């Protein structure tokens, strides 16, 4: 016996008690996301989900994973971490719904150098809010405290969503020339292109707490506007009939994402004058001296989701989406050919 205290895990920088405290803190938030099919609460080695209990008879599972990217850098630098969890959920579930699937449950991975329970709880509450607003249960996750891997205050997020659909109802399906493109408005930059955004902010000489040149809030607040969730309204449109495809407009913009849901031999014709370019994109483009073509293949440019609708049912679907609170633009049609062509101007 040396009489000296032995080395503990806490001495190495990992606080198991803090992790346990966090789990207890977030249990109420996770509980608010409960839905049919959930079988157990947080804390087990795995999370159980009952597909039959969720109402499915012959289900096909669909899975998606994503992160928030360097938008997290702005959240960390400003201390405004309350909505990046919504971004995390949205990036996953907005993809799932494009396959025709209903998101059922969500798992999150949160990694940091030293666990700050209050900050982590704010982040995970945001994740729970995103799940709640998309009808998806937060049924598990991982909090990893990894000293030496992250600088003080830094963290990273990853999300994993699983959804289901009845066999034979997957999208895209039946896309044809003449289909109408209904664009659903975005909430700003969403969660793509932030390495470019941060470079533009650096060029501008503005600080995160300066007033945004394009909004009545600070630059940091404006650029952290959370990604919109399109799940409930998109599923309502699909169930109403006439939806041939859905395209989530993420990295690659309209130019790269819309062709992903169009069959070989078909392209899209888009009228850029059919919607107003949000002020944040105009500021980014002007500050960076950005060409319109570059804008259209980098950002969502104000359109976060495109509904490819049967021409005969487009009016009814537009009315349904407007009633659900969507901003809807009739932005073009599916045409013979390849890729996306544009008329009119955004800038």
């Amino acid at each position: 016996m040396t009489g000296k205290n032995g080395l503990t895990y806490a001495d190495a920088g990992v606080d198991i008690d803090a992790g346990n405290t966090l789990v207890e803190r977030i249990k109420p938030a996770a509980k608010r996301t409960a839905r049919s099919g959930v079988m157990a609460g947080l804390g087990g080695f795995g999370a159980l989900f009952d597909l039959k209990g969720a109402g499915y008879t012959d289900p096909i599972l669909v899975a998606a994973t994503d992160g928030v990217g360097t938008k997290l850098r702005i959240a960390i630098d400003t201390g405004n971490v309350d909505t990046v969890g919504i971004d995390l959920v949205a990036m996953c579930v907005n993809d799932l719904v494009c396959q025709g699937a209903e998101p059922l449950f969500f798992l999150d991975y949160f990694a940091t150098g030293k666990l700050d329970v209050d900050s982590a709880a704010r982040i995970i509450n945001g994740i729970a809010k995103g799940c709640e607003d998309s009808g998806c249960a937060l049924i598990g996750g991982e909090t990893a405290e990894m000293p030496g891997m992250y600088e003080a205050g830094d963290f990273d997020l990853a999300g994993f969503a699983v959804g289901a659909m009845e066999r034979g109802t997957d999208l895209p399906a039946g896309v044809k020339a003449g289909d109408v493109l209904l664009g659903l408005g975005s909430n700003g930059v969403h969660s793509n292109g932030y390495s470019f955004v941060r470079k533009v902010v650096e060029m501008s000489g503005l600080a995160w707490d300066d007033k945004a040149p394009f909004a009545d809030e600070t630059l940091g607040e404006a650029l952290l506007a959370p990604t919109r969730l399109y799940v409930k309204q998109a599923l309502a449109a699909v169930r109403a009939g006439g939806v041939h495809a859905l395209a989530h407009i993420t990295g690659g913009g309209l130019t790269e994402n819309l062709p992903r849901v169009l069959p070989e031999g078909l392209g899209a014709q888009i009228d850029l004058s059919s919607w107003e370019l949000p002020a944040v994109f105009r500021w980014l483009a002007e500050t960076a001296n950005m060409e319109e073509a570059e804008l259209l293949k980098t950002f969502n440019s104000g359109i976060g989701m495109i509904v490819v609708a049967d021409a005969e049912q487009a009016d009814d679907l537009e009315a349904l989406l407007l009633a659900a609170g969507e901003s809807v633009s009739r932005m073009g049609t599916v045409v013979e050919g390849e890729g996306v062509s544009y008329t009119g101007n955004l800038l």
Side-chain angles (χ1 to χ4, degrees):
M1 292 288 291
T2 65
K4 293 181 180 179
N5 292 328
L7 187 69
T8 67
Y9 207 1
D11 293 329
V14 178
D15 189 342
I16 293 173
D17 291 338
N20 292 335
T21 300
L22 177 62
V23 171
E24 291 305 312
R25 282 274 295 274
I26 64 176
K27 277 183 177 179
K31 191 174 182 180
R32 287 197 302 273
T33 72
R35 53 153 296 150
S36 58
V38 174
M39 294 180 64
L42 299 182
F45 286 99
L48 308 180
F49 193 90
D50 179 5
L51 281 167
K52 186 173 281 189
Y56 287 88
T57 54
D58 188 13
I60 300 294
L61 292 178
V62 185
T65 182
D66 213 330
V68 184
T70 58
K71 187 175 188 176
L72 290 181
R73 186 75 260 160
I74 305 176
I76 292 165
D77 290 349
T78 62
N80 184 358
V81 299
D82 296 277
T83 58
V84 288
I86 298 174
D87 288 301
L88 183 68
V89 175
M91 293 304 291
C92 295
V93 298
N94 286 343
D95 278 355
L96 275 189
V97 78
C98 291
Q99 303 295 136
E102 173 195 15
L104 299 176
F105 60 85
F106 192 85
L107 304 170
D108 70 277
Y109 174 81
F110 171 76
T112 187
K114 181 170 177 55
L115 183 60
D116 178 331
V117 172
D118 288 336
S119 178
R122 289 165 62 196
I123 293 163
I124 296 171
N125 269 302
I127 295 171
K129 170 68 173 164
C131 287
E132 194 175 359
D133 289 350
S134 53
C136 181
L138 177 59
I139 62 173
E142 164 71 357
T143 301
E145 194 172 24
M146 300 194 290
M149 289 290 289
Y150 295 90
E151 296 292 332
D154 283 1
F155 64 89
D156 199 9
L157 292 174
F160 311 87
V162 174
M165 59 195 167
E166 293 292 356
R167 188 181 303 275
T169 63
D170 53 303
L171 293 177
V175 177
K176 62 184 185 294
D179 282 353
V180 175
L181 305 176
L182 302 175
L184 308 186
S186 70
N187 195 31
V189 185
H190 283 183
S191 297
N192 297 101
Y194 273 86
S195 295
F196 183 93
V197 169
R198 288 166 48 240
K199 187 70 176 174
V200 174
V201 171
E202 185 183 319
M203 288 171 56
S204 75
L206 294 170
W208 298 126
D209 57 359
D210 286 338
K211 184 183 180 300
F214 52 86
D216 191 23
E217 56 189 337
T218 69
L219 184 59
E221 288 167 343
L223 291 173
L224 284 170
T227 306
R228 289 202 59 222
L229 291 153
Y230 297 100
V231 171
K232 290 183 176 180
Q233 52 274 53
L235 286 174
V238 169
R239 288 163 182 160
V243 174
H244 293 164
L246 294 163
H248 185 201
I249 309 304
T250 54
L254 296 167
T255 304
E256 301 293 336
N257 284 289
L258 185 52
R260 295 168 65 182
V261 301
L262 302 177
E264 190 174 344
L266 292 179
Q269 178 77 51
I270 290 178
D271 177 6
L272 297 175
S273 65
S274 61
W275 77 96
E276 180 106 14
L277 182 69
V280 60
F281 297 111
R282 191 169 298 279
W283 177 77
L284 287 166
E286 289 173 354
T287 305
N289 195 27
M290 198 177 195
E291 297 287 337
E292 186 173 79
E294 185 70 15
L295 180 74
L296 288 164
K297 71 174 185 180
T298 303
F299 296 115
N300 67 62
S301 301
I303 301 294
M305 180 75 77
I306 295 177
V307 180
V308 181
D310 187 280
E312 292 185 3
Q313 290 166 279
D315 287 346
D316 290 342
L317 287 168
E318 183 177 4
L320 180 154
L321 290 162
L322 286 168
E326 284 298 321
S327 167
V328 185
S329 302
R330 284 206 176 212
M331 55 189 299
T333 55
V334 175
V335 295
E336 301 284 348
E338 295 287 342
V340 181
S341 57
Y342 301 101
T343 60
N345 298 103
L346 269 181
L347 291 173

